[in-house]
Structure formats: structure tokens, C-alpha cells
Amino acid sequence: MQLNVGFECYGSVVDDSFFYGHKVRDEYVNDPSQSNDFNFKDITEAVFVDYDWEISDKWSLTAGLREEYYAYKGFQRTTQENISGSYPNIFPSLSVSFMPNDDHEISLDFTSGLINPAYYQRNPFKRYYSPTLYEANNVSLRPFKQYDLMLSYSLFWDYMIIFDYTFEKGVWCRFNIPEP
């Protein structure tokens, strides 16, 4: 039996500046309606616990729990807009393995996690790709959660058959929008 407990903390600071200009004579002149200047900061703090248990020579169990707190803030200099948000998340995991002999192993695993939006997806400014094509973002975009259930069988440590089911909740996507 083994108990693992830990803490981790990490963050980022991003300065996303995008100049969009028009050529006037021999130089480019800034177009403030399409140039972008966005500052973004985030931090993630997490505590976790994992428990590994060799029940017998044939059975083993691993259970884990991670509690995570995520916070962000951003400032769009071009439009003078502020954004901020925070949310907690809990991620359970469980794995059960059966090894009848040295040549065979069957395991059932459940894991969970999330995908945070990239900093630019929270930028309230339209991101122009050309004079007539842009991407509009969502400052309130939340992460999407992912749950994975996997059944696997290993033979002679050389061959593996895997059945995997993934469920994602709150998935988002990106669209480019043409100007009318």
C-alpha cells in the first residue's frame, strides 16, 4: 500500500499584440479597429491524493482525487475591457487490474480531466485574419470536462486490445466569421 499526497501551482502571463495596418505610401498605419493588444494572466493551484494497493499477487487497485482551483484575468488595451473568472474542479480516477499469470493482464481504468480555453479564446476583441474575415471570442468560455473509461487486455506484454469510451461535457469550437 502506498499513499501519495501532493500540491502543485503554475501560471502564465501572456501579452498578445497583433498589429493590423494599411499601407499608406511607404509605411503601414495602425488600424485601431482591427489591431489587438491583450494581456492575460492565469494561475492553477491543485492538491491531490493517490492510493495504490496491491490487494494480492493478482489484483491491484489505484484510486485518486485531485482538487484544482483555476483563476484568470485579462485586460484588452484596445477596448479597455477587463475580464476575470475563477472556478474549482474535482477529478476522480480509479484503476483496477487483474493479472492471472505473467502472460496476461486485464485492467479497467476511469480518469477525468478538463481542457481550459486558450488565452486568446477569452480575448473580447475580434481577431481579424483579413479585412473581411474574423474570429469572435467568448470571454465567459468555461473549460470542458472529459471522462474516460478504458478496458484493456495485454498478452505476453507484446499485444494489447483496448476498448475506450470518452465522454466530453461542455465542448466548444471555433468559427471564422465573414464581414457582411
Side-chain angles (χ1 to χ4, degrees):
M1 288 186 265
Q2 182 177 350
L3 181 66
N4 302 306
V5 178
F7 171 79
E8 73 181 2
C9 181
Y10 52 90
S12 63
V13 176
V14 178
D15 187 10
D16 183 22
S17 296
F18 178 77
F19 174 82
Y20 192 93
H22 301 283
K23 191 168 186 177
V24 178
R25 295 181 197 85
D26 289 335
E27 61 182 86
Y28 285 93
V29 177
N30 182 34
D31 180 350
S33 69
Q34 294 186 13
S35 291
N36 178 25
D37 197 357
F38 183 56
N39 287 67
F40 183 82
K41 297 176 184 177
D42 70 351
I43 190 164
T44 301
E45 298 170 335
V47 293
F48 58 89
V49 60
D50 292 322
Y51 181 70
D52 296 323
W53 183 24
E54 294 292 327
I55 300 168
S56 69
D57 290 344
K58 298 180 190 264
W59 289 92
S60 66
L61 173 80
T62 302
L65 189 63
R66 176 184 173 96
E67 199 279 325
E68 189 175 281
Y69 178 76
Y70 177 76
Y72 65 91
K73 63 181 177 179
F75 178 64
Q76 173 50 256
R77 281 192 211 114
T78 307
T79 62
Q80 300 296 303
E81 290 177 71
N82 285 299
I83 65 162
S84 63
S86 63
Y87 40 85
N89 285 291
I90 295 179
F91 308 107
S93 63
L94 180 67
S95 177
V96 178
S97 296
F98 175 65
M99 197 167 170
N101 59 47
D102 290 341
D103 296 331
H104 304 277
E105 181 179 8
I106 299 170
S107 67
L108 180 64
D109 304 295
F110 170 77
T111 58
S112 58
L114 68 89
I115 307 295
N116 273 314
Y119 68 89
Y120 66 86
Q121 291 175 298
R122 288 203 168 108
N123 186 345
F125 197 75
K126 292 179 182 178
R127 180 181 293 268
Y128 280 86
Y129 296 104
S130 75
T132 59
L133 189 66
Y134 69 92
E135 178 181 323
N137 298 306
N138 182 350
V139 298
S140 303
L141 199 58
R142 304 270 301 173
F144 68 82
K145 294 192 177 183
Q146 188 172 30
Y147 304 94
D148 194 48
L149 184 63
M150 182 171 67
L151 176 65
S152 62
Y153 169 70
S154 298
L155 175 64
F156 303 119
W157 300 103
D158 294 324
Y159 305 100
M160 184 177 269
I161 298 171
I162 298 173
F163 298 98
D164 191 15
Y165 176 76
T166 301
F167 175 75
E168 295 173 335
K169 182 179 178 180
V171 177
W172 29 257
C173 55
R174 298 173 44 200
F175 297 98
N176 291 336
I177 304 166
E179 285 278 7

